[in-house]
Amino acid sequence: MVCSGLEVRLAECKKKEKSPRFLSGLKRRDKRHSRSLSGSMPFDRNAELIETFRTQMQISETMDALTRRKLVRLASEKSFGQIDVPQITLGLLNATTKTEFLNEKSYIQWKNRQANILEELLSSEQSVGVFLAKIRNFQEWDIKMSPSKCREVLYSIRNIASTLSSMPGNCGIQGETYYWSAGYPFNMRLYEKLLLGVFDILEDGKLIEEADEILKLIKSTWSLLGITQKLHDVLYGWVLFQQFVGTEEAMLLEYAVRKMRNIPSSEDVVQNEKKYLESLVCVNHCSGSEIRLNLVQSILWSIGLWCDNKLQDYHWHFFQKPSLFKGVLSMALAAGNQKFDVSGNMELMLNASNEIIDSKVRMHVERSAEAACKRVTDAINTGSKVDKKHPLALLASELKSIAERQLTVYHPVLRHWCAEAGVVSASILHRFYGERLEPFLKNISCLSEDVKQVLAAAILLENYLIELHSSEQVKKGVHSPLMFDFEREIGEIARPIILDWVIAQHARILEWTGRAADLEDWEPLSHQQKQAASAVEVFRIIEETVDQFFELRLPVDITHLQALLSIIFHTLDAYLQKVVNQLVDKHNLYPPAPPLTRYKETAFPSAKKKLVEYVVLDNAVNKKLDALTTSKLCVRMNTLQYMQKKISSLEDGIRESWSAVRVFKDQTCLDEDSHWTSNGILEMCSESVDELFVATFDCIRDSAADAIKRTCELVGARVVFWDMREPFIFNLYHGDVEGARLETILPQFDRVLNNVCALIDDTLRDIVVKSIFKASLEGYAWVLLDGGPSRAFSDFDVVMMEDDLNILKDLFVADGEGLPRSLVEEEARFAHQILSLFSLRAESVIQLLMTSSEHNSGLEAHKYGQRHLGDAHTLIRVLCHKKEREASKFLKQYYHLPPSSVYNGAAVEDSSMKSPLMADLIKRSASFRWSDKSSSSFRSLKKKIQDATSDFRQVGW
């Protein structure tokens, strides 16, 4: 700047600070010195930039002040023509003494540096070496030699330098000097050092804000150092790139790429400059060979070599920072394509054709894929031992990660220069793994753990490779058909062994299920989980098998699904059969009907004698019944309800998993309604699949529902006819209605209901309570119709019995919190009808019996739950239990039924006979006339009753 005529402020008057002044100019982003209106702005701005640049170059203020003074003095002498570096160096040596330095060491370092510069620039003159030796010798130069002798030495060197400076340049460029070519290594290194001043010394990856202005200042050295625009762009791009390599700052790489793209090709450079650039020769070494290139070629070659080295294994080098991949690839392409001829000369092509770029990028993809494959192969044995996985499964997993990263990270960048980058990478990975998988496939005989691992990993790898291979075609709306043969090969091998594996699970699961059911004690898991443990275990086993099936991640077809669903069906069906087979028929709990007797107006000789004996049950039934307590029956129902819920969730889970599974592509399964989706999943045989699910799960649901119904009915029968047999069945209305009313057993009824509701699942409460209510109505009807000789009811008793029935209904309605009133009334209708028969006169009941006999000539064995109001069974039993002489007389006359011994016949008879109403009934009963058909039917019924009662007519009650 001084020698170019620009004014430079001397810093002598500036007050020195104790702190290091080379850091004082950092981060002055917003701070600006004030500038006057008198035209001092350029001067002040230059001073600011120089000060900033000094701090960036880390030059102390002392050395800066010294250098400025000497340069100003040198410029004022004007004893030289065109300025060059040797003249500046000689001027500084001539004007500077050791006393101007803080210490001797600093002076010697500075002096030797100047001598080194002169030696490099004037090396063509051998005599210069003698003079420089004297300068370097401190004792001779600074102590022994006089100042005049020193000036003579410097004058001699100046003459040599002037001679060389006067020599014309070799290339004919305007302003060219001898030192452009002769001293170009020094010039380029010095210019590179100056360019480094634009980087913040505290943050190497950042440019200072004054970077553009400083670059303009540095431009003033171009004529001194032989810098052209092309050289500047190359050198600045080189400096930016080196800084990027050291800091990995993406912004620097982006700036470097821009600079390299602006470099004109050889055709665009004028001939003289081209000749000059060719003269700047560099020697490079590559693979043991020496390569001579010009400076621009050497820089581009070095950049390209570094980028190619990274790109040939970009999977490794950009694993941590994938964001740099695009920039490095752009730089590699911007650095041009280097081509060497047979003589070893390199030809640099900056604007390569698309074909050449495509070929270069393809080469990077191939080599990086191969390097990645080799790297994972080298590590695979160690990895498989640590992870306890088969080497091929581990290899497939690693290659899948490579393919996934290639697809998501690298391919979006590569596709701009090589559309088939995905195809190239996928093909290499596919071939690499296929060569190692083929021998393994040939030796597969069963679905071992290794086989499951390897085949599943291979399929997953293939999926990613297909997606990678098809990525560009899919973007263009075209589907790639590549590599389906690999998956089909695995599918063909896996199909039979998967089926064998599924079938093999059948016996194992049935054995586990049977063991769980046999060990079940029918206790709830907890207060919240009211189901039994065995059902939980059964579904755990099933779900574990289903998970194992779908976790195979292998191609399957509808045959495999059918086999899996068959296992589920047979497992659940076997469990349900075990549960149901442990039940007993509820009719085993009903007491036997006592013998039919007729009411007789005598006192019972033995009123406290037990009239009805317990049922004598088979030992097997007794054993079952002991385990079927009410609480355990409730747990069974909870378990069955739990199964209903789990069946639905199991079905939904299998359907969802099936919709996501890869279906084996068997062409024999395809029909006009089937087609392949873009990702290779077959939407096939949907109706057949639905039919499989319906046939399996609906059937199991129906079986579970039937089991719930049977168990529920047994709960009701158990509560009424077994748990409450004594107080309800045997003692209600025993001997006397008024003394054995229903209200005496209501507390016990209430406790039973509370216990059941506490044990049963909320969703089952209503149907269980309904079952108990129905059973209680059956028991009540049994008391009325089959209560035996100890029970006989008068018209007055019927009123109390109606009240009792209403009380029973209210108990189950529970003030609106129990069963619906309408349901209760409907279920109790038959009991009310029976009571209505008892409220009729015996004559009316007898008439109903004769009418019923016209339609029923026999007295078939009675079954519980099959009575109806007008059948002969019901009407005869009503007559047997009516406290009415007319009924007793009728039964004695036509059926020869034995009398009931529990009443005082004489007393009642006397009382009855004195009644005008009773006498009238007897008289009217004698006038009954039967039609032929009625007589025949009635005689048949009469004979059957007589036969049925012949064995116990003489038994006293």
mmCIF file of all heavy atoms in Angstrom, residues 630-657:
data_model
loop_
_atom_site.group_PDB
_atom_site.id
_atom_site.type_symbol
_atom_site.label_atom_id
_atom_site.label_comp_id
_atom_site.label_asym_id
_atom_site.label_seq_id
_atom_site.Cartn_x
_atom_site.Cartn_y
_atom_site.Cartn_z
ATOM 1 N N THR A 630 -70.832 -72.516 44.556
ATOM 2 C CA THR A 630 -71.359 -71.320 43.905
ATOM 3 C C THR A 630 -70.239 -70.334 43.560
ATOM 4 O O THR A 630 -70.213 -69.747 42.470
ATOM 5 C CB THR A 630 -72.394 -70.632 44.816
ATOM 6 O OG1 THR A 630 -73.455 -71.551 45.090
ATOM 7 C CG2 THR A 630 -72.952 -69.383 44.150
ATOM 8 N N SER A 631 -69.298 -70.134 44.461
ATOM 9 C CA SER A 631 -68.205 -69.191 44.216
ATOM 10 C C SER A 631 -67.343 -69.647 43.041
ATOM 11 O O SER A 631 -66.953 -68.835 42.187
ATOM 12 C CB SER A 631 -67.339 -69.031 45.465
ATOM 13 O OG SER A 631 -66.749 -70.271 45.832
ATOM 14 N N LYS A 632 -67.074 -70.953 42.959
ATOM 15 C CA LYS A 632 -66.254 -71.461 41.859
ATOM 16 C C LYS A 632 -67.014 -71.411 40.534
ATOM 17 O O LYS A 632 -66.414 -71.203 39.476
ATOM 18 C CB LYS A 632 -65.775 -72.877 42.167
ATOM 19 C CG LYS A 632 -64.793 -72.926 43.337
ATOM 20 C CD LYS A 632 -64.254 -74.317 43.562
ATOM 21 C CE LYS A 632 -63.316 -74.358 44.760
ATOM 22 N NZ LYS A 632 -62.090 -73.567 44.547
ATOM 23 N N LEU A 633 -68.321 -71.618 40.610
ATOM 24 C CA LEU A 633 -69.118 -71.473 39.385
ATOM 25 C C LEU A 633 -69.093 -70.022 38.895
ATOM 26 O O LEU A 633 -69.054 -69.756 37.684
ATOM 27 C CB LEU A 633 -70.557 -71.924 39.641
ATOM 28 C CG LEU A 633 -70.787 -73.431 39.770
ATOM 29 C CD1 LEU A 633 -72.227 -73.711 40.191
ATOM 30 C CD2 LEU A 633 -70.469 -74.126 38.444
ATOM 31 N N CYS A 634 -69.100 -69.077 39.816
ATOM 32 C CA CYS A 634 -69.012 -67.662 39.421
ATOM 33 C C CYS A 634 -67.670 -67.360 38.759
ATOM 34 O O CYS A 634 -67.602 -66.636 37.765
ATOM 35 C CB CYS A 634 -69.213 -66.768 40.652
ATOM 36 S SG CYS A 634 -70.905 -66.763 41.290
ATOM 37 N N VAL A 635 -66.598 -67.919 39.313
ATOM 38 C CA VAL A 635 -65.274 -67.730 38.704
ATOM 39 C C VAL A 635 -65.244 -68.357 37.316
ATOM 40 O O VAL A 635 -64.647 -67.807 36.380
ATOM 41 C CB VAL A 635 -64.173 -68.320 39.608
ATOM 42 C CG1 VAL A 635 -62.811 -68.243 38.917
ATOM 43 C CG2 VAL A 635 -64.124 -67.592 40.936
ATOM 44 N N ARG A 636 -65.872 -69.499 37.159
ATOM 45 C CA ARG A 636 -65.944 -70.124 35.828
ATOM 46 C C ARG A 636 -66.647 -69.189 34.833
ATOM 47 O O ARG A 636 -66.195 -69.023 33.691
ATOM 48 C CB ARG A 636 -66.707 -71.457 35.918
ATOM 49 C CG ARG A 636 -65.921 -72.567 36.566
ATOM 50 C CD ARG A 636 -66.785 -73.790 36.785
ATOM 51 N NE ARG A 636 -66.053 -74.880 37.375
ATOM 52 C CZ ARG A 636 -65.450 -75.862 36.689
ATOM 53 N NH1 ARG A 636 -65.512 -75.862 35.366
ATOM 54 N NH2 ARG A 636 -64.802 -76.809 37.315
ATOM 55 N N MET A 637 -67.762 -68.605 35.280
ATOM 56 C CA MET A 637 -68.478 -67.692 34.377
ATOM 57 C C MET A 637 -67.623 -66.472 34.050
ATOM 58 O O MET A 637 -67.579 -66.015 32.904
ATOM 59 C CB MET A 637 -69.795 -67.248 35.019
ATOM 60 C CG MET A 637 -70.857 -68.325 35.042
ATOM 61 S SD MET A 637 -72.494 -67.635 35.347
ATOM 62 C CE MET A 637 -72.728 -66.618 33.919
ATOM 63 N N ASN A 638 -66.943 -65.926 35.048
ATOM 64 C CA ASN A 638 -66.039 -64.799 34.796
ATOM 65 C C ASN A 638 -64.966 -65.190 33.785
ATOM 66 O O ASN A 638 -64.594 -64.407 32.904
ATOM 67 C CB ASN A 638 -65.371 -64.349 36.094
ATOM 68 C CG ASN A 638 -66.359 -63.771 37.081
ATOM 69 O OD1 ASN A 638 -67.438 -63.327 36.699
ATOM 70 N ND2 ASN A 638 -66.002 -63.771 38.354
ATOM 71 N N THR A 639 -64.465 -66.397 33.924
ATOM 72 C CA THR A 639 -63.422 -66.883 33.022
ATOM 73 C C THR A 639 -63.945 -67.004 31.599
ATOM 74 O O THR A 639 -63.275 -66.621 30.632
ATOM 75 C CB THR A 639 -62.890 -68.232 33.515
ATOM 76 O OG1 THR A 639 -62.417 -68.088 34.857
ATOM 77 C CG2 THR A 639 -61.766 -68.730 32.635
ATOM 78 N N LEU A 640 -65.135 -67.538 31.471
ATOM 79 C CA LEU A 640 -65.733 -67.662 30.132
ATOM 80 C C LEU A 640 -65.997 -66.291 29.510
ATOM 81 O O LEU A 640 -65.805 -66.086 28.301
ATOM 82 C CB LEU A 640 -67.030 -68.472 30.215
ATOM 83 C CG LEU A 640 -66.861 -69.946 30.624
ATOM 84 C CD1 LEU A 640 -68.217 -70.568 30.935
ATOM 85 C CD2 LEU A 640 -66.151 -70.718 29.515
ATOM 86 N N GLN A 641 -66.427 -65.348 30.328
ATOM 87 C CA GLN A 641 -66.636 -63.993 29.830
ATOM 88 C C GLN A 641 -65.298 -63.359 29.423
ATOM 89 O O GLN A 641 -65.215 -62.655 28.406
ATOM 90 C CB GLN A 641 -67.327 -63.140 30.898
ATOM 91 C CG GLN A 641 -67.629 -61.714 30.492
ATOM 92 C CD GLN A 641 -68.688 -61.637 29.406
ATOM 93 O OE1 GLN A 641 -69.351 -62.636 29.101
ATOM 94 N NE2 GLN A 641 -68.850 -60.478 28.809
ATOM 95 N N TYR A 642 -64.266 -63.603 30.215
ATOM 96 C CA TYR A 642 -62.916 -63.124 29.881
ATOM 97 C C TYR A 642 -62.483 -63.697 28.532
ATOM 98 O O TYR A 642 -61.879 -63.004 27.700
ATOM 99 C CB TYR A 642 -61.956 -63.546 30.987
ATOM 100 C CG TYR A 642 -60.498 -63.387 30.655
ATOM 101 C CD1 TYR A 642 -59.874 -62.145 30.751
ATOM 102 C CD2 TYR A 642 -59.734 -64.480 30.248
ATOM 103 C CE1 TYR A 642 -58.522 -62.007 30.449
ATOM 104 C CE2 TYR A 642 -58.395 -64.351 29.949
ATOM 105 C CZ TYR A 642 -57.791 -63.108 30.053
ATOM 106 O OH TYR A 642 -56.454 -62.973 29.743
ATOM 107 N N MET A 643 -62.805 -64.956 28.308
ATOM 108 C CA MET A 643 -62.458 -65.584 27.029
ATOM 109 C C MET A 643 -63.180 -64.904 25.870
ATOM 110 O O MET A 643 -62.596 -64.695 24.800
ATOM 111 C CB MET A 643 -62.805 -67.076 27.071
ATOM 112 C CG MET A 643 -61.923 -67.886 27.996
ATOM 113 S SD MET A 643 -62.308 -69.664 27.923
ATOM 114 C CE MET A 643 -61.812 -70.050 26.242
ATOM 115 N N GLN A 644 -64.434 -64.552 26.081
ATOM 116 C CA GLN A 644 -65.187 -63.863 25.032
ATOM 117 C C GLN A 644 -64.476 -62.564 24.632
ATOM 118 O O GLN A 644 -64.334 -62.245 23.446
ATOM 119 C CB GLN A 644 -66.607 -63.551 25.524
ATOM 120 C CG GLN A 644 -67.514 -64.752 25.675
ATOM 121 C CD GLN A 644 -68.137 -65.179 24.360
ATOM 122 O OE1 GLN A 644 -67.457 -65.300 23.345
ATOM 123 N NE2 GLN A 644 -69.436 -65.413 24.366
ATOM 124 N N LYS A 645 -64.041 -61.809 25.630
ATOM 125 C CA LYS A 645 -63.357 -60.543 25.337
ATOM 126 C C LYS A 645 -62.018 -60.797 24.660
ATOM 127 O O LYS A 645 -61.659 -60.115 23.695
ATOM 128 C CB LYS A 645 -63.149 -59.751 26.624
ATOM 129 C CG LYS A 645 -64.436 -59.311 27.308
ATOM 130 C CD LYS A 645 -64.146 -58.610 28.622
ATOM 131 C CE LYS A 645 -65.421 -58.199 29.350
ATOM 132 N NZ LYS A 645 -65.133 -57.573 30.673
ATOM 133 N N LYS A 646 -61.266 -61.760 25.177
ATOM 134 C CA LYS A 646 -59.945 -62.034 24.613
ATOM 135 C C LYS A 646 -60.036 -62.599 23.199
ATOM 136 O O LYS A 646 -59.144 -62.358 22.380
ATOM 137 C CB LYS A 646 -59.189 -63.013 25.520
ATOM 138 C CG LYS A 646 -58.772 -62.434 26.851
ATOM 139 C CD LYS A 646 -57.735 -61.329 26.672
ATOM 140 C CE LYS A 646 -56.404 -61.855 26.217
ATOM 141 N NZ LYS A 646 -55.374 -60.803 26.121
ATOM 142 N N ILE A 647 -61.090 -63.342 22.930
ATOM 143 C CA ILE A 647 -61.272 -63.877 21.572
ATOM 144 C C ILE A 647 -61.392 -62.733 20.571
ATOM 145 O O ILE A 647 -60.788 -62.765 19.496
ATOM 146 C CB ILE A 647 -62.509 -64.792 21.523
ATOM 147 C CG1 ILE A 647 -62.223 -66.107 22.252
ATOM 148 C CG2 ILE A 647 -62.920 -65.079 20.082
ATOM 149 C CD1 ILE A 647 -63.445 -66.962 22.491
ATOM 150 N N SER A 648 -62.140 -61.710 20.925
ATOM 151 C CA SER A 648 -62.316 -60.564 20.018
ATOM 152 C C SER A 648 -61.007 -59.819 19.824
ATOM 153 O O SER A 648 -60.635 -59.470 18.692
ATOM 154 C CB SER A 648 -63.390 -59.616 20.558
ATOM 155 O OG SER A 648 -64.644 -60.256 20.624
ATOM 156 N N SER A 649 -60.292 -59.570 20.910
ATOM 157 C CA SER A 649 -59.024 -58.845 20.782
ATOM 158 C C SER A 649 -57.988 -59.688 20.045
ATOM 159 O O SER A 649 -57.186 -59.164 19.271
ATOM 160 C CB SER A 649 -58.495 -58.455 22.162
ATOM 161 O OG SER A 649 -58.235 -59.594 22.951
ATOM 162 N N LEU A 650 -58.025 -60.999 20.266
ATOM 163 C CA LEU A 650 -57.109 -61.890 19.554
ATOM 164 C C LEU A 650 -57.395 -61.868 18.055
ATOM 165 O O LEU A 650 -56.476 -61.789 17.229
ATOM 166 C CB LEU A 650 -57.229 -63.310 20.110
ATOM 167 C CG LEU A 650 -56.371 -64.383 19.438
ATOM 168 C CD1 LEU A 650 -54.893 -64.083 19.649
ATOM 169 C CD2 LEU A 650 -56.719 -65.768 19.991
ATOM 170 N N GLU A 651 -58.659 -61.920 17.704
ATOM 171 C CA GLU A 651 -59.025 -61.874 16.285
ATOM 172 C C GLU A 651 -58.584 -60.555 15.646
ATOM 173 O O GLU A 651 -58.006 -60.549 14.551
ATOM 174 C CB GLU A 651 -60.535 -62.047 16.125
ATOM 175 C CG GLU A 651 -60.989 -61.991 14.667
ATOM 176 C CD GLU A 651 -62.493 -62.124 14.508
ATOM 177 O OE1 GLU A 651 -63.204 -62.104 15.526
ATOM 178 O OE2 GLU A 651 -62.951 -62.232 13.349
ATOM 179 N N ASP A 652 -58.850 -59.451 16.332
ATOM 180 C CA ASP A 652 -58.448 -58.149 15.784
ATOM 181 C C ASP A 652 -56.932 -58.074 15.604
ATOM 182 O O ASP A 652 -56.442 -57.555 14.589
ATOM 183 C CB ASP A 652 -58.913 -57.026 16.717
ATOM 184 C CG ASP A 652 -60.431 -56.900 16.762
ATOM 185 O OD1 ASP A 652 -61.087 -57.409 15.829
ATOM 186 O OD2 ASP A 652 -60.953 -56.318 17.727
ATOM 187 N N GLY A 653 -56.195 -58.588 16.582
ATOM 188 C CA GLY A 653 -54.738 -58.546 16.481
ATOM 189 C C GLY A 653 -54.219 -59.379 15.328
ATOM 190 O O GLY A 653 -53.311 -58.959 14.603
ATOM 191 N N ILE A 654 -54.787 -60.566 15.124
ATOM 192 C CA ILE A 654 -54.336 -61.424 14.019
ATOM 193 C C ILE A 654 -54.701 -60.801 12.681
ATOM 194 O O ILE A 654 -53.911 -60.825 11.724
ATOM 195 C CB ILE A 654 -54.944 -62.833 14.159
ATOM 196 C CG1 ILE A 654 -54.428 -63.502 15.437
ATOM 197 C CG2 ILE A 654 -54.610 -63.686 12.945
ATOM 198 C CD1 ILE A 654 -55.043 -64.858 15.718
ATOM 199 N N ARG A 655 -55.892 -60.230 12.602
ATOM 200 C CA ARG A 655 -56.285 -59.572 11.348
ATOM 201 C C ARG A 655 -55.324 -58.428 11.010
ATOM 202 O O ARG A 655 -54.904 -58.269 9.856
ATOM 203 C CB ARG A 655 -57.709 -59.028 11.457
ATOM 204 C CG ARG A 655 -58.810 -60.072 11.315
ATOM 205 C CD ARG A 655 -60.173 -59.428 11.381
ATOM 206 N NE ARG A 655 -61.257 -60.385 11.247
ATOM 207 C CZ ARG A 655 -61.791 -60.762 10.079
ATOM 208 N NH1 ARG A 655 -61.307 -60.255 8.957
ATOM 209 N NH2 ARG A 655 -62.782 -61.624 10.038
ATOM 210 N N GLU A 656 -54.995 -57.635 12.033
ATOM 211 C CA GLU A 656 -54.087 -56.510 11.804
ATOM 212 C C GLU A 656 -52.704 -56.999 11.385
ATOM 213 O O GLU A 656 -52.089 -56.456 10.460
ATOM 214 C CB GLU A 656 -53.989 -55.666 13.071
ATOM 215 C CG GLU A 656 -53.120 -54.431 12.915
ATOM 216 C CD GLU A 656 -53.090 -53.581 14.184
ATOM 217 O OE1 GLU A 656 -53.826 -53.908 15.130
ATOM 218 O OE2 GLU A 656 -52.315 -52.615 14.213
ATOM 219 N N SER A 657 -52.204 -58.019 12.075
ATOM 220 C CA SER A 657 -50.884 -58.555 11.726
ATOM 221 C C SER A 657 -50.895 -59.169 10.341
ATOM 222 O O SER A 657 -49.929 -59.029 9.586
ATOM 223 C CB SER A 657 -50.454 -59.596 12.771
ATOM 224 O OG SER A 657 -50.350 -59.018 14.044
#
